[in-house]
Amino acid sequence: MMGTAQAAAPEMTAEEMDRASNIYFQRCAGCHGTLRKGATGPGLLPEDTIEMGQRRLESIITLGTEGGMNNFDGILDPEEITLISKYIQQTPEEPPEMSLADIRDTWEIVVPQDQWPDEPQHDRNWENFMVTILRDRGAMGIIDGDTKEVVTEAETGYAVHVAKSSSDGRFWYVQGRDGRLSKIDLWMDPPQVTAEVFIGIDARDVAVSKYGEWKDKYVIGGGYWPPHFVIADAETMEPLKVVSTRGYNTKGEYVHEARVAALYDTPHAPTFLVNVKETGQVWQVDYSDIDNLRMDQIASAEYLHDGFFDSTGRYFMIAANFSHKMAFIDTVERKLVSLLNTGEIPHPGPGANWIDPECGPVAGTTHLGEGLVTFWGTDPENNPDHAWEICGTVETDGPGLFLRSHPDSPHVWIDQSMHPEADVNQWIMVMDKETRELTPIHVADRPAEHDAVALHMEYDQSGTEVWVSIWARGRGHQDDGAIVIYDDKTMEEIGRVENLNTPTGKFNVYNRKAKYKRS
């Protein structure tokens, strides 16, 4: 009996393919993969998407899903939604590779070292600067935390995912999704990029060496494509070494698109943590001799995403999204100590550590797939019965990306930004550490056409203010974003920074350079 022939993909012109490819890179590749084989989100290969059909694909992209995909109506216009729906029914093409020579060709010194200032050129309290991602603007907003003024917008790569500082907080390294790795000097007036290099054509994270004699010597950038990491000189940004992350997952299956999800420097050893998304491996890479790299490949679970350290800086905790687990790595022993089932698709972002009255030191995560905060014990020495076990869960109104706390705060702040409805994603929850009771706060308060969500909380230098982003994503309204500032104790609004283009993550200089003492 003859089988039914598969329907053909919709026809597209070369111009339409180019436009759709750009949309896919900007909005879809992070979750669904450069080659559309899936990761946090499902695969989008033609054998599946053609069968789903144009109408259903457009509906999903327009409305989003309860399982963690946001709605794109307002972000993309109807023509673009139609275009991307056609695009994901085509056979994907593999982008080019990049050699060390290719990477070196992109290296640029913007401000030579002999022109760097010996002291701050301004009288601002730069340790209370908020280094803020202006996602679609392709810039980092440097905001004075004392005066609430935007000092400058430093041009960087597109859609920066995260920023990491030098040990003293003066220099900031930012990795754009377009592969552009930039170095910003906060002492300059105004702060500006001093050097840059493209470590790939799609990238996410960066880390700086901070241990012992190698302090501030190396910077590492991780590629989504090509799947590799690049170690560069942290002063000049000259690329020194490139290492592929292709390999085998925890089941022994070869992974061609083995992307670097996240990068961290370890406080107790001269090592970087390279989290290889699709393989479920955490590579602990010893940078004490980059010509003879020692790499401990620690198997955990797929697919690795964001992570953070416990309050001591010894234990690294990372979300394995696809497996619905948190993985716990002892960076001193360089081994996996435990895996923990949480809720649907954990996503802690920069995470939060706090003291629970029942379990002692704990850490927690939000989830992309459900409105839930899960927290677990992190003190195997003094509280072994609770270590790496769930201490408690708290239900929120919807899935979120981030949670944040501070040692001096009675609260944990939680966003709900992944819910598709404005009456949920424009609100955040504040949890009392002692009682675990939630207080809702309406942050965004924007009309529907702004498609605005409230997300990513950060404390100021004093630990008394909490800054929350309003990310206005709607077409024509990207400049209507803002940051709302709250008194942590009273949860009352005390200030705003308005007219920001798509503000998302923000990083307080003082708190981030002291991150192993603060949560």
Side-chain angles (χ1 to χ4, degrees):
M1 183 175 178
M2 296 289 292
T4 303
Q6 181 175 333
E11 291 186 2
M12 297 182 71
T13 66
E15 181 184 0
E16 287 176 330
M17 284 290 290
D18 286 343
R19 286 180 58 206
S21 177
N22 187 51
I23 295 170
Y24 183 82
F25 165 75
Q26 292 179 343
R27 301 295 181 182
C28 315
C31 287
H32 299 285
T34 304
L35 303 181
R36 307 211 311 263
K37 293 184 178 180
T40 304
L44 298 174
L45 296 173
E47 52 263 36
D48 299 316
T49 53
I50 291 175
E51 183 178 341
M52 293 175 70
Q54 183 73 17
R55 179 181 295 181
R56 185 178 176 197
L57 291 172
E58 289 185 17
S59 176
I60 292 171
I61 294 168
T62 300
L63 301 176
T65 69
E66 289 279 354
M69 175 174 158
N70 64 273
N71 55 305
F72 282 90
D73 59 332
I75 300 174
L76 302 176
D77 63 31
E79 179 190 3
E80 290 173 322
I81 291 174
T82 296
L83 195 65
I84 198 67
S85 299
K86 290 180 178 180
Y87 176 77
I88 60 177
Q89 297 176 68
Q90 314 297 319
T91 300
E93 294 184 0
E94 184 166 309
E97 304 289 330
M98 286 185 74
S99 68
L100 183 60
D102 295 329
I103 296 166
R104 188 180 294 272
D105 286 343
T106 71
W107 172 42
E108 180 182 0
I109 299 291
V110 181
V111 181
Q113 285 177 271
D114 60 7
Q115 297 179 24
W116 295 359
D118 295 325
E119 59 185 17
Q121 295 177 328
H122 50 76
D123 59 2
R124 295 179 181 272
N125 176 18
W126 61 272
E127 288 196 310
N128 198 28
F129 280 177
M130 289 284 185
V131 181
T132 304
I133 297 169
L134 305 178
R135 185 190 186 277
D136 293 356
R137 164 79 173 78
M140 299 297 289
I142 311 301
I143 303 175
D144 188 322
D146 290 352
T147 67
K148 315 311 190 258
E149 297 173 295
V150 178
V151 178
T152 192
E153 294 182 2
E155 304 288 336
T156 60
Y158 167 77
V160 169
H161 184 67
V162 76
K164 306 280 179 67
S165 76
S166 59
S167 58
D168 62 358
R170 171 185 175 177
F171 296 106
W172 281 76
Y173 300 82
V174 295
Q175 180 69 74
R177 282 193 55 184
D178 55 4
R180 181 178 174 184
L181 177 57
S182 307
K183 178 180 181 178
I184 299 172
D185 185 355
L186 297 185
W187 282 11
M188 292 182 175
D189 188 16
Q192 61 184 284
V193 171
T194 64
E196 65 182 27
V197 63
F198 283 79
I199 64 97
I201 62 174
D202 189 0
R204 286 301 182 280
D205 209 353
V206 60
V208 186
S209 62
K210 294 180 181 175
Y211 184 86
E213 65 187 89
W214 303 276
K215 183 173 67 174
D216 299 324
K217 185 174 183 179
Y218 299 121
V219 59
I220 183 173
Y224 262 29
W225 193 272
H228 63 211
F229 64 84
V230 176
I231 297 177
D233 184 295
E235 285 198 1
T236 66
M237 300 292 283
E238 177 186 4
L240 304 173
K241 196 174 190 70
V242 59
V243 178
S244 172
T245 50
R246 293 185 171 108
Y248 294 85
N249 64 16
T250 61
K251 304 177 185 66
E253 301 162 337
Y254 177 73
V255 180
H256 183 62
E257 187 181 2
R259 301 177 292 175
V260 178
L263 296 163
Y264 301 85
D265 179 66
T266 61
H268 299 289
T271 57
F272 292 123
L273 295 180
V274 178
N275 297 275
V276 187
K277 193 178 190 77
E278 283 79 9
T279 66
Q281 289 186 355
V282 179
W283 293 13
Q284 191 159 351
V285 179
D286 195 314
Y287 54 69
S288 61
D289 182 359
I290 68 166
D291 292 324
N292 301 282
L293 282 180
R294 170 188 169 185
M295 296 187 291
D296 294 281
Q297 297 177 327
I298 305 166
S300 59
E302 295 86 3
Y303 292 135
L304 299 180
H305 196 63
D306 281 344
F308 62 111
F309 286 92
D310 78 310
S311 58
T312 70
R314 174 171 180 167
Y315 297 100
F316 179 67
M317 305 172 287
I318 186 164
N321 294 151
F322 186 76
S323 302
H324 313 298
K325 298 177 187 294
M326 291 295 301
F328 307 112
I329 308 293
D330 183 338
T331 63
V332 173
E333 298 292 334
R334 306 188 187 192
K335 66 180 184 181
L336 179 75
V337 294
S338 189
L339 290 168
L340 178 67
N341 290 308
T342 61
E344 293 291 311
I345 319 178
H347 185 286
N353 294 288
W354 68 93
I355 304 299
D356 181 81
E358 176 186 343
C359 303
V362 298
T365 184
T366 47
H367 295 79
L368 298 179
E370 61 179 313
L372 184 72
V373 172
T374 300
F375 49 100
W376 55 85
T378 62
D379 184 7
E381 182 176 349
N382 299 308
N383 292 274
D385 292 343
H386 299 294
W388 323 128
E389 299 290 342
I390 291 177
C391 174
T393 59
V394 175
E395 292 186 8
T396 64
D397 290 337
L401 286 169
F402 303 107
L403 76 170
R404 199 76 179 138
S405 190
H406 187 282
D408 299 330
S409 170
H411 300 133
V412 179
W413 294 65
I414 305 155
D415 77 31
Q416 304 175 131
S417 54
M418 293 306 292
H419 194 279
E421 300 297 331
D423 59 359
V424 176
N425 64 35
Q426 293 192 354
W427 293 71
I428 61 171
M429 293 290 186
V430 183
M431 185 185 81
D432 185 295
K433 292 177 182 177
E434 292 289 327
T435 66
R436 305 180 185 176
E437 293 180 354
L438 295 178
T439 300
I441 299 177
H442 194 193
V443 178
D445 196 20
R446 291 292 198 269
E449 61 268 22
H450 286 208
D451 192 40
V453 299
L455 82 168
H456 196 279
M457 295 68 61
E458 179 78 342
Y459 282 80
D460 74 331
Q461 180 179 6
S462 69
T464 62
E465 296 178 2
V466 181
W467 294 41
V468 186
S469 292
I470 297 176
W471 179 15
R473 306 171 297 181
R475 291 182 64 85
H477 295 282
Q478 289 94 334
D479 287 326
D480 295 319
I483 294 174
V484 185
I485 303 164
Y486 293 91
D487 181 294
D488 179 56
K489 296 295 192 293
T490 66
M491 294 178 277
E492 296 292 326
E493 180 181 331
I494 57 175
R496 287 194 175 217
V497 184
E498 296 279 8
N499 304 315
L500 296 175
N501 186 306
T502 56
T504 55
K506 55 216 154 291
F507 312 95
N508 181 264
V509 173
Y510 179 81
N511 284 324
R512 293 294 172 157
K513 74 173 184 175
K515 63 183 177 181
Y516 303 120
K517 297 178 182 179
R518 303 180 185 278
S519 300

